[in-house]
């Protein structure tokens, strides 16, 4: 059975040594936050993930969810108990507002705990994950009364939440959605329509399910300008706010999927269900998009989480499985063969994954910290910068990290040879579960388009300009340090190439927007590579400083080795992306559609 | 349900126009071969694949195989009938020796038919595929009596075959295998041991199953020098050669796998089973390796086949599914949205796949034709060249084409968005089925090592020298043709880079073999890219000639467009591989094993 142990030392390195997250303790909102608190949460969260969630991962994959004739759904064996335990231990309330029963801890800790939970059991972690999203939407758009009615029960996970966007004929293009809302005299609405791919749409783990549903109020404008957001509880609430009468919403079927079998992905049918408008009429997408931007960071984290757990198992297997001899002569003379970690091509796959995971984690946690600081930092310029960076980096984190996680989980599976293809070792599940992360919350191609078509140009390109200036300043600070040139030189090169690509986009995307579209994925990967190079350079500074200060912990040398690997063996990919991108739209669009 | 239509026009273009395969008709062995015969076989084979095998693909995936308490195995609904039909129509006998009931047709036709069958239903096509491998092994190493006893029934597929190599503790490293063979007084052997991952190991579709089993005769040398090959029939034969008494071989369990569910992958237990030596004692691997080299071409073809069927479905979906608007303005004014094929990033994925499929097919068919010609060509120098090329290209076809097929099937699945993740549309199955092709018949890392460690250096590097000289000659022939510079210039560049990489390997692999190992996968991809560039350049010559001769078939212009896409948008990847490779083994091997 696959193992998972939270990579706490790596997390601490990022959170404490690189990001100095305890700085959050300087602000009233996070005054409890210090090193000890952070460490305690990391430790406990890691234990919960390893002891409770990991053993249920294969169970969930194997059993899946079951829909019964009455439309009810049971989750895999053990999920309900684990969910109860998770809620009781407060893990679901970690980042939420104390006003509604949350612990009010910063997002950077929430994402670390979320990474652990997703590594251990991604399908399971989606239940509280979707609830978080729904809480966020109600926080953003709900009335004070709606918040009081729903949030405490959702923060405690007595009730869970869902997001209902997709319909059979529309996913990316929400302007086409048909689900309709008809006003009732009492101010509520009758919601009617069908939603598909609804994660956690129906299950047996909570007393109520709060569906957030996009629908079109009768007479609303066509397209995206006529979409409103509604709360539709599975059970309507009685006068005391307790679940009572069943609402006219039901699970029509559960999808058979490639992965995340432990999560119940439902077709939800609304048949004059009672719903309550969130915020203003026809302004539903605003709320949804704020919520979704946060969810996209979580999806990037999910990719990272799968890559991490796949790596841990592959590394263990590569050190244990003996097969063949090292090319440079046997290292295990007493055995019939050497452990396969001696083979350079096996190492290549492990190093690719390790170097990706560690920098990917730094990028995700840094973004989460920026989001925390955005809400408390006194300096408006800083808050503006944080918001700019988050806007710019969100599609990169979602799209690039999950694209990479697809590669790394497949590589880690490959290390197992035939044993990777059979389900027994669990490597197949990591690949199959990862697959959805490239699709949901906006397919990766949509992320790439969001990046080049929207985020890059916003405020005259301010976000990337600021970020580039920050990198140049960083390079300037360290240019005298010869110990760091293995990091600063490649970062400088990558940053220049990204700039060249950006210039190309500005010049050519104006004349023909298809030039931007055709280069969007290459550009997203270029930015991903540059950001990971930046993260590695920053981590190298931190590690080198520890070494210079006299630490002989091998951990720091290993950081430098892993970072150098990234610069030498992974970053060169950026040139291929630049070359491809600069060929423009013509080769991509030349063929008549009928010729496909 | 997914569709499949054999890409006959593309196949004809390669087989007739590019390769002129009817040249085989000049030789006695293939005197029946002409254009009409080839076309008739392509047409009929395509019909069989579409009408009979395609509808069973999802059935096989969904039902899988079932092992019963008595150790018997039933295949998915419809498989048995389809297999009977396949054998009766002569599809299994296509390429085999007429002496044993085969049709004696060339391998280039066999691989075209095989591609269609694998596109339509890979798990099904493996049953006759494995039988082909076993036939080949008996042809190579068996005695005249063994051939007469087994081959006619196997060619007709009344009996099927298997290959038994892997044991729980060894796959790649066959030197460790433990299955033992004890001589009986009558010249037969008692075979005892456990084999795993045995495709088609037990099933209900044939009257007998002929297992070819690697085992170690008591007292044989240790390691790979003490391995012999045995025939172990499921049912021993009576005096008339008919299946009679059950042999002591049984299926212990069926593996639960990520894909190819329709194929029964068995743990096979041999318990003093009666077996018959093939060829000489301790020389079993020789036979197995000749057979396996051929099987590796078939695995490359399987990757291509999955990429082709995934492409067809993705192209259909992209033309049908409407979502969003073209960046350059609506093209479907009367509808609520444009078909998603207007989006450059969707096109990018389709074009990557299309450009890969068409050149990959050319490479595989060219190799198959070389193998056909190797056996009949009067010129010894040509035969030597054909053998050299096959040796060199086999690991590239197996490793590079399946690596690419993993990418393309995932891309094609991505085009479906959420609909790609659910099993209903079949795109998940193409990804899951493709996954095994990177692993079996030697994992792709093993292919890369075979290429740089063995094939490249054989006969003083003769194979690549000859092939490079052929490319230079080709470039010389067409250097005056300005219409072809979009193809010849990039090919020239790729060829030089491959040469540079080869030089680097020669210089640095000698001093430290880990340099070769660490660069092996990058090098394999460089050779794959160069070979696809060569195939595209040759196809461009063919297409341009047709256009120059007055053809106005859009097909030829589309070939040029697709080939140009490859050169501009895919070939630049070669630089990244070269840069990575040239950093050598140090960054890959620097970390202590314990630090993973």
């Amino acid at each position: 059975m696959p193992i998972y142990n939270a990579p706490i030392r790596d997390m601490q390195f990022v959170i404490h040594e690189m990001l100095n997250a305890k700085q959050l303790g300087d602000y009233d909102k996070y005054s409890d936050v210090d090193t000890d608190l952070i460490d305690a949460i990391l430790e406990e969260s890691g234990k919960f993930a390893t002891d409770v969630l990991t053993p249920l991962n294969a169970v969930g994959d194997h059993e899946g969810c079951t829909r019964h004739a009455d439309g009810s759904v049971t989750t895999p064996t053990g999920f309900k108990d684990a969910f109860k335990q998770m809620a009781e231990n407060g893990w679901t309330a970690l980042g939420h507002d104390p006003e509604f029963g949350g612990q009010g801890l910063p997002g950077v800790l929430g994402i670390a705990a979320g990474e652990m939970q997703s590594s251990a059991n991604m399908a399971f972690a989606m239940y509280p994950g979707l609830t978080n999203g729904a809480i966020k939407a109600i926080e953003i758009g709900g009335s004070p009364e709606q918040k009081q009615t729903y949030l405490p029960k959702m923060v405690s996970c007595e009730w869970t939440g869902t997001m209902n966007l997709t319909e059979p004929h529309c996913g990316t293009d929400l302007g086409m959605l048909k689900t309709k809302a008809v006003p009732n005299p009492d101010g509520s609405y009758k919601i009617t329509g069908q939603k598909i791919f609804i994660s956690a749409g129906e299950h047996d783990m909570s007393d109520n399910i709060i569906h957030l549903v996009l629908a079109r109020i009768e007479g609303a404008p066509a397209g995206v300008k006529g979409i409103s957001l509604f709360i539709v509880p599975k059970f309507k609430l009685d006068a005391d706010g307790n679940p009572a009468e069943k609402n006219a919403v039901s699970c029509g079927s559960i999808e058979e999927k490639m992965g995340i079998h432990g999560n119940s992905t439902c077709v939800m049918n609304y048949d004059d269900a009672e719903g309550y408008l969130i915020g203003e009429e026809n302004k539903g997408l605003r709320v949804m998009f704020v919520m979704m931007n946060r969810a996209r960071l979580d999806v990037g984290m999910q990719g990272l989480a799968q890559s991490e757990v796949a790596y841990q198992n592959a590394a263990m297997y590569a050190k244990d499985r003996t097969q063949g001899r090292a090319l440079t002569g046997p290292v295990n003379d007493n055995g019939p063969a050497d452990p396969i970690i001696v083979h350079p091509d096996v190492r290549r796959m492990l190093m690719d994954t390790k170097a990706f995971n560690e920098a990917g984690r730094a990028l995700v946690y840094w973004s989460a910290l920026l989001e925390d600081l955005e809400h408390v930092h006194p300096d408006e310029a800083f808050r503006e910068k944080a918001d700019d960076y988050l806007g710019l980096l969100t599609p990169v984190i979602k799209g690039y990290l999950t694209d990479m996680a697809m590669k790394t989980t497949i590589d880690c599976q490959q290390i197992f040879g035939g044993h990777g293809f059979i389900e027994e070792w669990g490597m197949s599940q990591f690949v199959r579960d990862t697959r959805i992360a490239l699709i949901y919350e906006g397919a990766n191609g949509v992320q790439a388009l969001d990046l080049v078509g929207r985020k890059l140009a916003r405020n005259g390109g301010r976000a990337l300009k600021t970020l580039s200036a920050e990198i140049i300043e960083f390079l300037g600070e360290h240019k005298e340090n010869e110990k760091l040139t293995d990091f600063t030189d490649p970062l400088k090169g990558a940053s220049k190439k990204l700039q060249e690509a950006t210039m190309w986009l500005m010049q050519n995307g104006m004349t023909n927007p298809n030039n931007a579209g055709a280069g969007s994925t290459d550009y997203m990967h270029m930015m991903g590579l540059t950001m990971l190079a930046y993260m590695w350079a920053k981590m190298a500074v931190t590690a080198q400083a520890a070494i210079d200060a006299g630490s002989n912990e091998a951990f720091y040398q290993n950081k430098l080795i892993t970072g150098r690997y990234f610069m030498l063996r992974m970053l060169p990919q950026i040139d291929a992306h630049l070359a491809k991108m600069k060929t423009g739209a013509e080769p991509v669009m030349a063929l008549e559609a009928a010729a496909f």
Side-chain angles (χ1 to χ4, degrees), chain A residues 4 32 41 64 74 127 131 156 173 221 223 252 262 325 339 347 403 432 475 498 511 518 529 541 548 575:
Chain A
Y4 173 68
D32 293 344
I41 285 176
T74 43
Y127 291 96
T131 304
S156 67
D173 189 355
R325 290 295 187 185
R347 287 232 178 197
D403 275 356
R432 291 184 289 98
L475 290 169
L498 183 65
T511 52
L529 283 159
V541 167
D548 291 344
D575 294 287

Side-chain angles (χ1 to χ4, degrees), chain A residues 190-517:
Chain A
K190 283 198 180 72
I191 311 289
T192 301
Q194 187 178 65
K195 297 286 182 177
I196 63 170
F197 305 157
I198 306 310
S199 301
E202 178 58 50
H203 58 82
D204 57 355
M205 306 204 297
S206 65
D207 298 335
N208 205 355
I209 300 177
I210 310 306
H211 302 290
L212 297 202
V213 183
L214 289 182
R216 197 180 293 285
I217 296 172
E218 269 195 331
V224 292
K225 290 180 180 158
I227 298 175
S228 304
L229 182 62
F230 297 88
I231 293 173
V232 185
K234 174 180 170 184
F235 294 104
K236 293 187 237 179
L237 307 182
D238 63 19
D240 300 327
N242 295 315
E245 190 193 346
K246 177 85 170 62
N247 207 344
V249 46
S250 63
C251 165
S253 62
I254 298 187
E255 301 289 0
E256 194 189 334
K257 312 183 295 290
M258 185 174 175
I260 51 164
H261 295 161
N263 201 275
S264 86
T265 308
C266 300
V267 173
M268 297 304 296
N269 295 320
Y270 295 84
D271 187 14
D272 283 346
E274 192 168 300
Y276 319 107
L277 183 67
I278 297 184
E280 291 176 59
E281 287 187 11
N282 305 330
K283 300 283 167 67
L285 283 185
R286 277 193 206 171
V287 175
M288 197 55 102
F289 277 132
V290 176
M291 185 284 299
M292 235 158 59
N293 258 330
R294 176 58 216 235
R296 285 171 178 179
L297 287 183
D298 285 338
V299 175
M301 172 274 282
Q302 288 180 328
L304 168 68
Q306 291 304 294
S307 185
E308 171 65 32
V309 68
Y311 168 79
Q312 289 188 14
N313 285 278
M316 186 181 67
Y317 189 81
K319 287 187 274 190
D320 182 61
R321 171 83 170 176
T322 57
Q323 205 78 180
R325 290 295 187 185
L327 296 171
T328 47
V331 301
N332 177 30
D333 276 323
N334 299 325
D338 291 338
I340 62 172
I341 200 166
V342 301
H343 301 303
D345 196 62
V346 170
R347 287 232 178 197
R348 173 186 62 82
M349 295 186 277
L350 286 175
M351 287 299 297
D352 273 6
T353 308
K354 183 176 168 64
F356 164 70
N357 290 350
E358 294 178 16
R361 179 175 298 117
L363 182 62
V364 171
Y365 290 15
W366 178 48
S367 301
L369 179 67
L370 283 175
E371 201 184 2
D372 290 329
L373 289 169
E374 189 190 349
H375 296 120
V376 295
H377 204 284
D379 178 0
E380 195 187 324
F382 183 92
R383 294 199 305 272
E384 180 184 280
K385 183 185 86 167
D387 191 56
D388 280 354
Y389 283 13
L390 282 168
L392 187 70
L393 294 178
T394 294
V396 178
I397 286 172
K398 197 285 183 182
Y400 174 70
L401 295 195
T402 60
D403 275 356
M404 282 298 294
M406 199 73 239
K407 174 202 144 30
T408 57
T409 53
I410 287 174
D411 276 355
C412 290
Q413 181 188 30
Q414 186 73 12
I415 289 171
F416 282 71
H419 297 277
F421 191 66
I422 60 173
E423 297 293 348
E424 189 181 339
W425 289 80
M427 301 307 287
S428 160
Q429 187 186 352
F430 300 139
V431 171
R432 291 184 289 98
D433 286 357
T434 298
R435 186 66 190 88
I436 189 59
L438 286 73
I439 297 172
Y440 62 15
E441 298 297 346
N444 285 0
V446 174
Q447 303 302 322
L449 203 57
D450 177 48
L451 176 65
V452 303
R454 206 159 11 194
K455 299 298 178 60
L456 210 52
R458 216 154 67 171
N459 299 311
R462 191 178 64 200
L464 185 58
K465 275 180 205 159
T466 313
L467 182 53
S468 300
E470 176 179 323
I471 292 174
I472 289 166
E473 192 187 329
F474 170 86
L475 290 169
E477 272 170 42
H478 300 287
K479 74 175 170 189
E480 305 294 338
N481 191 340
E482 281 180 16
K483 289 177 191 162
L484 293 172
T485 50
D486 284 357
F487 298 90
T488 47
D489 287 353
L491 173 61
K492 193 174 177 180
S495 183
K496 276 191 182 161
K497 283 162 198 165
L498 183 65
Q499 208 171 349
E500 184 183 340
T502 310
M503 288 292 292
W504 187 93
L505 274 182
M506 283 163 56
Q507 284 160 6
N508 297 279
M510 301 286 254
T511 52
N512 177 3
N514 279 344
N515 280 324

Side-chain angles (χ1 to χ4, degrees), chain A residues 83-159:
Chain A
F83 191 69
K84 198 166 165 228
Q85 206 177 325
M86 186 180 207
E88 284 172 0
N89 293 355
W91 293 115
T92 60
L94 207 66
H96 293 301
D97 194 333
E99 190 188 340
F100 306 114
Q103 300 184 35
L105 288 169
V108 66
L109 281 179
I111 208 136
E115 184 200 318
M116 296 177 193
Q117 290 154 14
S118 287
S119 281
N121 196 327
M122 176 168 154
F124 179 93
M126 288 173 65
Y127 291 96
L130 267 297
T131 304
N132 279 347
I135 291 171
K136 184 73 63 183
I138 295 173
E139 278 183 346
I140 297 163
S143 66
E145 196 198 337
Q146 286 172 333
K147 290 180 193 178
Q148 286 304 337
T149 305
Y150 296 102
L151 293 185
K153 297 285 191 182
M154 294 174 77
V155 166
S156 67
C157 270
E158 287 165 85
W159 302 350

